[in-house]
């Protein structure tokens, strides 16, 4: 099959197995190449048939977008998915990851895993002989960040020098935005309440990967953070696994709500992004998410196109 990319064969990351565990596993050129392929797939200018390859989905947390977009992406690539939820496999009864990963590697061609700890994901990757994809952990959500920056590129026609202000919890989504943004030359400001800032190690990692002069910064005042923002991004205040903190967080985060008042302080052309699911009235108002500035459904759609491109690249269909 002809390559979509000029020059040498397209391979991902520094890992021989093409794992995508962190936004840092791709370099700038690889991300931009994935975006070109994703746009071709989206326009219908490109068809890739992988010949009945199988993606295993191991999801320990709920999911609509990630699960369904991976399922549809595999179907469009001529492949299929198998649901390997811990409730229906021996994982739920304590079978070891190192055994599970070696067995599944003999049935499947790639695994997408949604779980709590990044270490658990890394353990799967260590024992698998097939590529492993991070479908969200407590530390990162790298597939989400790819769709986010593809959406921004489509909207503004460029990425370098764009100002993105993330208002809210310094969580998995914020971490992947910082890293992927740094690689793409996007200035990423993460603005959170005291004590809820992004993990300093992830901030340092993002800074160390900065390309094209991208500035990564942490702050606490949303009205200052959104000044000159072309993108305002938010996510839930309590992530999956933090349900018991929901009430406490609601009080602490009140000032960090994305509403019209905050949006008016940003660039006139500002777009609003949210990875979804949204809690209207909490991190974002109904008015803001339904406003003309909101691009959240384009963003959700791009999960499909960019993950289809990722799978094609990982499985050697290019
Ligand atoms: N944004 C996102 O990952 O959504 P799901 O939890 O529905 O997969
Ligand atoms: N930060 C959120 C993202 C959901 C897509 C969570 O981890 O629950």
């Amino acid at each position: 099959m002809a390559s979509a990319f000029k020059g040498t064969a397209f391979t991902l990351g520094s890992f021989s197995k093409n794992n995508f565990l962190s936004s840092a596993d791709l370099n700038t050129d690889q991300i931009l190449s994935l975006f070109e392929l994703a746009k071709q797939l989206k326009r219908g200018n490109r068809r890739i048939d992988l010949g009945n390859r199988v993606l295993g989905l191991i999801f320990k947390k709920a999911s609509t977008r990630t699960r369904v977009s991976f399922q549809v992406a595999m179907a469009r690539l001529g492949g299929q998915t198998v649901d390997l939820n811990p409730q229906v496999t021996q994982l739920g009864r304590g079978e070891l990851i190192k055994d599970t990963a070696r067995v599944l590697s003999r049935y499947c061609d790639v695994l997408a895993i949604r779980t709590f700890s990044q270490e658990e994901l890394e353990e799967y990757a260590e024992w698998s002989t097939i590529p492993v994809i991070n479908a969200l952990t407590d530390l990162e959500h790298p597939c989400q960040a790819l769709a986010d920056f593809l959406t921004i590129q489509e909207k503004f026609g460029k990425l370098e020098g764009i100002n993105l202000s993330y208002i809210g919890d310094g969580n998995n989504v914020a971490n992947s935005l910082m890293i992927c943004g740094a690689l793409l030359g996007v200035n990423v400001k993460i603005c959170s309440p005291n004590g809820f800032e992004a993990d300093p190690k992830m901030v340092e990692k993002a800074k160390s990967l900065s390309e094209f002069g991208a500035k990564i910064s942490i702050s606490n005042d949303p009205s200052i953070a959104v000044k000159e923002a072309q993108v305002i991004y938010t996510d839930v205040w309590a992530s999956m696994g933090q349900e018991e903190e929901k009430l406490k967080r609601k009080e602490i985060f009140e000032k960090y709500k994305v509403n019209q008042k905050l949006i008016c302080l940003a660039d006139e052309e500002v777009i609003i992004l949210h990875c979804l699911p949204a809690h209207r009235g909490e991190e974002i108002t109904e008015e803001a998410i339904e406003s003309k500035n909101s691009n959240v459904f384009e963003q959700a759609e791009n999960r499909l196109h960019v993950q289809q491109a990722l799978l094609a690249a990982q499985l050697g269909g290019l």
Side-chain angles (χ1 to χ4, degrees):
M1 219 169 291
S3 172
F5 308 106
K6 290 196 183 90
T8 52
F10 184 83
T11 51
L12 298 178
S14 52
F15 297 93
S16 57
K17 288 189 291 180
N18 282 348
N19 290 324
F20 186 47
L21 308 182
S22 161
S23 289
D25 287 346
L26 293 180
N27 64 33
T28 307
D29 289 344
Q30 289 168 330
I31 300 171
L32 293 175
S33 299
L34 277 186
F35 288 179
E36 288 314 305
L37 178 58
K39 285 185 280 189
Q40 289 176 15
L41 293 164
K42 184 174 182 175
R43 288 194 297 262
N45 294 348
R46 184 81 196 272
R47 281 200 186 278
I48 298 170
D49 191 339
L50 296 178
N52 208 16
R53 311 290 282 277
V54 176
L55 164 68
L57 297 171
I58 304 177
F59 277 46
K60 275 197 180 173
K61 295 176 176 176
S63 169
T64 299
R65 279 143 290 271
T66 310
R67 175 185 290 282
V68 180
S69 56
F70 267 121
Q71 287 170 326
V72 175
M74 274 315 271
R76 290 193 179 176
L77 291 167
Q80 49 189 302
T81 49
V82 284
D83 255 326
L84 302 165
N85 282 347
Q87 299 95 303
V88 296
T89 63
Q90 299 288 6
L91 275 169
R93 297 178 58 249
E95 187 166 9
L96 297 179
I97 288 175
K98 65 179 180 180
D99 292 351
T100 306
R102 281 178 288 181
V103 172
L104 294 179
S105 295
R106 289 163 186 258
Y107 304 147
C108 300
D109 298 288
V110 52
L111 292 175
I113 301 174
R114 172 169 286 200
T115 191
F116 295 86
S117 85
Q118 185 76 11
E119 290 71 28
E120 189 180 313
L121 179 79
E122 283 165 7
E123 195 181 344
Y124 274 105
E126 188 188 335
W127 291 98
S128 296
T129 54
I130 56 175
V132 173
I133 299 171
N134 181 347
L136 180 146
T137 62
D138 291 347
L139 189 70
E140 278 208 56
H141 198 1
C143 294
Q144 179 68 53
L146 290 179
D148 302 338
F149 288 109
L150 173 60
T151 310
I152 295 167
Q153 191 197 48
E154 284 180 329
K155 189 71 196 168
F156 295 100
K158 63 169 191 172
L159 287 162
E160 257 183 81
I162 293 285
N163 298 318
L164 182 152
S165 299
Y166 172 99
I167 310 297
D169 188 26
N171 61 16
N172 44 9
V173 168
N175 287 339
S176 286
L177 278 175
M178 282 192 297
I179 294 174
C180 196
L183 286 166
L184 293 168
V186 176
N187 302 313
V188 180
K189 291 184 183 170
I190 306 290
C191 179
S192 318
N194 252 319
F196 295 87
E197 292 96 347
D199 178 344
K201 278 197 211 127
M202 299 303 275
V203 179
E204 283 319 302
K205 190 171 181 174
K207 284 184 178 171
S208 75
L209 293 169
S210 162
E211 295 282 351
F212 314 114
K215 293 190 198 71
I216 307 299
S217 61
I218 300 297
S219 62
N220 302 110
D221 186 337
S223 54
I224 296 175
V226 297
K227 280 202 179 119
E228 292 173 17
Q230 288 141 305
V231 183
I232 296 180
Y233 196 121
T234 190
D235 182 19
V236 291
W237 292 336
S239 286
M240 289 180 276
Q242 296 173 330
E243 287 78 8
E244 75 290 352
E245 292 179 33
K246 206 170 171 346
L247 276 182
K248 185 187 88 182
R249 282 174 178 248
K250 246 174 129 168
E251 268 175 47
I252 298 171
F253 280 78
E254 188 54 33
K255 223 177 82 182
Y256 296 78
K257 191 189 292 289
V258 171
N259 54 23
Q260 286 307 122
K261 201 171 141 207
L262 199 64
I263 294 170
C264 285
L265 301 174
D267 189 276
E268 232 175 90
E269 301 294 310
V270 70
I271 63 166
I272 310 300
L273 297 182
H274 189 309
C275 59
L276 303 178
H279 292 87
R280 287 166 159 84
E282 292 183 26
E283 76 276 1
I284 191 161
T285 59
E286 171 79 12
E287 197 186 6
I289 201 167
E290 297 295 347
S291 71
K292 63 173 180 24
N293 310 74
S294 172
N295 277 247
V296 298
F297 297 107
E298 288 85 345
Q299 180 189 6
E301 179 187 332
N302 280 335
R303 296 292 306 276
L304 168 63
H305 307 301
V306 86
Q307 284 161 208
Q308 193 178 339
L310 176 73
L311 287 165
Q314 283 178 309
L315 296 173
L318 302 175

